Amino acid sequence: MIKPFIAANWKMNKTVGEAVDFANSLRAVLTTTPDRDVVIAPPFTALHAVAASLKGSDIALAAQNMHDAEKGAFTGEISAAMLIDAGCAYVIIGHSERRHIFGEEDEFINKKIISALKHGLKPIFCIGETLEERESGITLDILQRQIGEGLNNISTDDIGSVVVAYEPVWAIGTGKTATPKEAEDAHKFIRACIQMFYDAAVAEKVVIIYGGSVTPDNIGELMAEKDVNGALVGGASLNSESFAKIVNYP
Ligand code: PGA
């Protein structure tokens, strides 16, 4: 049985003060979360301060992106070592906004995952099809390509540290959630791909979370699906009460 994994992706929202207030109120509401993994991903500027607020709690910190290089002339970029230094345990890699707005491709995403793992950061590796791809009937081909290329050269030992987030692009920030069946079909396929690229024992344990317009109202039905192990929440994670309701789904 995989422990439910619920992560908040704040995207480009919240000042340091707002982020710390959120972390403090979330801690107050979620006094213990022994049966759930809870992660929050503030913007870079708030990571260090939020890490201090979360000290001693079970809530883990994630960054929203990183660069694969160790250091050097990459103006505006942040390395895995810097994220560890700021208190992160996780990093979101390959989010659809990075792929579609900033042109990140599978090969670059793969390099970032390798660098994150090398530094002991756990990647939350995002994949998902666009509406056009779904309507053309190529969803599974897209997912298989993103998994194959994104996880290229990642060992069986390391794959256990990767969380896969299935986020259909058409469901992100649109209020249009995948139905539980659509989510389950995709998650089952992702697990089958992991089994094909690795083995059954690895596939059984890999954490596969769903993202795309998750709310306190739909989390329960999504989590009732066998292969849905958690959620990556954008809009509904910006308010601590709403996010706490998602974490505490029945
Ligand atoms: P959303 O975003 O919950 O606002 O749809 C999810 C995500 O982009 O991770």
Side-chain angles (χ1 to χ4, degrees), residues 89-164:
Y90 294 88
V91 58
I92 298 173
I93 295 182
H95 188 278
S96 77
E97 285 146 20
R98 300 298 319 169
R99 292 178 188 261
H100 298 291
I101 306 175
F102 301 99
E104 292 190 7
E105 292 186 347
D106 294 320
E107 197 187 339
F108 187 30
I109 289 163
N110 175 246
K111 283 188 187 159
K112 296 184 192 213
I113 295 178
I114 291 172
S115 172
L117 289 166
K118 183 175 152 213
H119 286 271
L121 266 179
K122 295 178 183 167
I124 301 175
F125 165 44
C126 302
I127 57 174
E129 80 288 0
T130 62
L131 185 58
E132 201 187 346
E133 289 161 345
R134 175 162 282 261
E135 285 174 347
S136 326
I138 56 168
T139 297
L140 303 186
D141 303 316
I142 296 294
L143 296 180
Q144 184 165 336
R145 189 209 75 217
Q146 289 174 334
I147 297 167
E149 296 190 12
L151 298 180
N152 192 24
N153 287 324
I154 306 229
S155 70
T156 306
D157 284 347
D158 276 344
I159 186 73
S161 301
V162 178
V163 174
V164 181

Side-chain angles (χ1 to χ4, degrees), residues 57-84:
S57 82
D58 293 330
I59 304 165
L61 192 65
Q64 299 174 16
N65 185 28
M66 57 170 269
H67 194 277
D68 68 290
E70 292 296 313
K71 60 159 113 172
F74 298 97
T75 301
E77 292 295 330
I78 304 233
S79 72
M82 290 169 183
L83 297 181
I84 294 272

Side-chain angles (χ1 to χ4, degrees), residues 145-208:
R145 189 209 75 217
Q146 289 174 334
I147 297 167
E149 296 190 12
L151 298 180
N152 192 24
N153 287 324
I154 306 229
S155 70
T156 306
D157 284 347
D158 276 344
I159 186 73
S161 301
V162 178
V163 174
V164 181
Y166 169 61
E167 297 205 303
V169 179
W170 47 271
I172 296 178
T174 56
K176 206 174 155 195
T177 322
T179 62
K181 177 162 185 329
E182 285 168 334
E184 174 61 15
D185 288 350
H187 284 225
K188 193 181 272 178
F189 179 75
I190 292 165
R191 210 175 289 287
C193 287
I194 305 270
Q195 174 161 349
M196 183 172 76
F197 292 126
Y198 296 89
D199 59 42
V202 166
E204 207 173 277
K205 287 196 213 111
V206 72
V207 181
I208 308 174

